[in-house]
Amino acid sequence: MSLANELRACLTEILRSPVPEPAETDDPVRFFRQWLAERNLGLVPIADAADFDWPGQWIAVLRDGEDEHALVMFGSPSGPWLDPSNAYHEGRRIEAGWMLTPLDLHLPTDQPYGTAAVAGTIAAILIASDAEAPLSRVDEAEALAGRGLAGDRYADGRGTFSGPGRGYQLTLVEAEVLDEIGLPWAEARRNIVTRGISLNGLVGRRFRIGAVECIGRRLAEPCAHLEKLARPGLLRPLVHRGGLRADVSTGGIIGLGDEITAIR
């Protein structure tokens, strides 16, 4: 059994719910991290997994020759709870491990970010040709399927947080949030500024911007990099309000005033 299938089996056991299968070309750890983030969950690396014990479930990775195997561990001291490939043997050293944990303890894993029931519109479109370059407003832009906005650094793979993986093609943020905290729209470093829609509710959902179809991947949470480029003190007011990371499924031209709607 491959490491990807073992990780999937481990997550299915811990979550007690279906877990998607990554494509053969995907890095399985990256794929599952990004999928989990859509559900207010994350994999936290364990610093010294070989000596770790925990009266709960955690995921261990051990090596068997050239192969790596994943299994669910439990207990203090820990032993195998689920060993999909029967890879665990006494004396075989665990090389890495993760704890599965909520990103925010106060949010559920079932629709943690609510729903987007109200349609909104595009208030601004902003692109930058390179990482950390100033963003420029345009009246319309071409959304390229599988890439992002033509002329933007993320469509060309030159963004600070360019992939590979899910959610690196397009970013959106609500004008209402930026106006409330007094942050100029261009300094938010997002591609599309919206009005009238709750972007958090689009996480894990398909939606349209005009005729362009997209899928929301995870929240575009604030970070120290944004504070460096914009101003200090942005982390707390933008937590869970920093916008949406999305991918472009079908391309087309988008323009100011285009409607943004969830696909039901």
Side-chain angles (χ1 to χ4, degrees):
M1 184 180 290
S2 69
L3 178 63
N5 286 333
E6 290 171 0
L7 283 172
R8 183 182 179 215
C10 291
L11 290 171
T12 299
E13 176 71 14
I14 296 173
L15 294 171
R16 302 295 173 93
S17 63
V19 175
E21 183 177 358
E24 290 185 4
T25 56
D26 287 330
D27 177 315
V29 177
R30 179 187 298 115
F31 173 86
F32 290 125
R33 281 183 184 276
Q34 294 173 354
W35 179 81
L36 288 166
E38 299 171 14
R39 288 149 183 81
N40 184 39
L41 292 168
L43 290 173
V44 178
I46 297 170
D48 189 1
D51 295 324
F52 186 70
D53 55 50
W54 180 253
Q57 295 174 320
W58 57 283
I59 298 174
V61 175
L62 54 81
R63 183 174 295 278
D64 179 13
E66 296 298 318
D67 298 324
E68 289 184 325
H69 295 283
L71 58 154
V72 178
M73 302 289 285
F74 181 94
S76 179
S78 292
W81 170 292
L82 175 71
D83 188 356
S85 294
N86 295 316
Y88 185 85
H89 302 290
E90 194 69 32
R92 183 164 288 171
R93 185 172 177 81
I94 293 172
E95 296 195 343
W98 298 282
M99 291 285 293
L100 181 63
T101 182
L103 301 178
D104 187 326
L105 293 173
H106 303 287
L107 295 178
T109 56
D110 180 24
Q111 290 189 327
Y113 309 115
T115 59
V118 180
T121 57
I122 295 179
I125 303 170
L126 303 106
I127 60 175
S129 58
D130 288 293
E132 301 189 12
L135 271 71
S136 300
R137 291 199 190 197
V138 295
D139 292 335
E140 65 177 29
E142 182 181 5
L144 306 172
R147 290 180 56 192
L149 298 185
D152 186 65
R153 72 275 197 205
Y154 284 100
D156 297 327
R158 295 200 299 267
T160 302
F161 301 105
S162 285
R166 297 147 63 103
Y168 294 107
Q169 298 171 17
L170 187 68
T171 53
L172 304 88
V173 68
E174 298 169 22
E176 294 86 347
V177 171
L178 301 183
D179 293 346
E180 177 189 324
I181 66 173
L183 183 65
W185 293 358
E187 292 185 18
R189 310 296 301 174
R190 311 294 189 242
N191 294 128
I192 295 176
V193 181
T194 69
R195 283 201 184 279
I197 190 168
S198 172
L199 294 175
N200 288 16
L202 296 177
V203 171
R205 298 187 63 183
R206 293 184 300 129
F207 63 97
R208 289 193 181 92
I209 307 174
V212 172
E213 186 171 318
C214 304
I215 181 167
R217 294 300 190 185
R218 58 189 179 277
L219 298 188
E221 294 284 25
C223 62
H225 183 70
L226 176 61
E227 287 195 320
K228 182 185 79 171
L229 295 181
R231 71 170 191 243
L234 289 177
L235 283 176
R236 291 193 66 163
L238 284 179
V239 167
H240 304 337
R241 304 201 306 162
L244 176 73
R245 292 191 175 277
D247 289 329
V248 181
S249 303
T250 60
I253 303 298
I254 61 173
L256 297 180
D258 279 359
E259 191 172 59
I260 304 169
T261 54
I263 298 174
R264 304 196 180 280

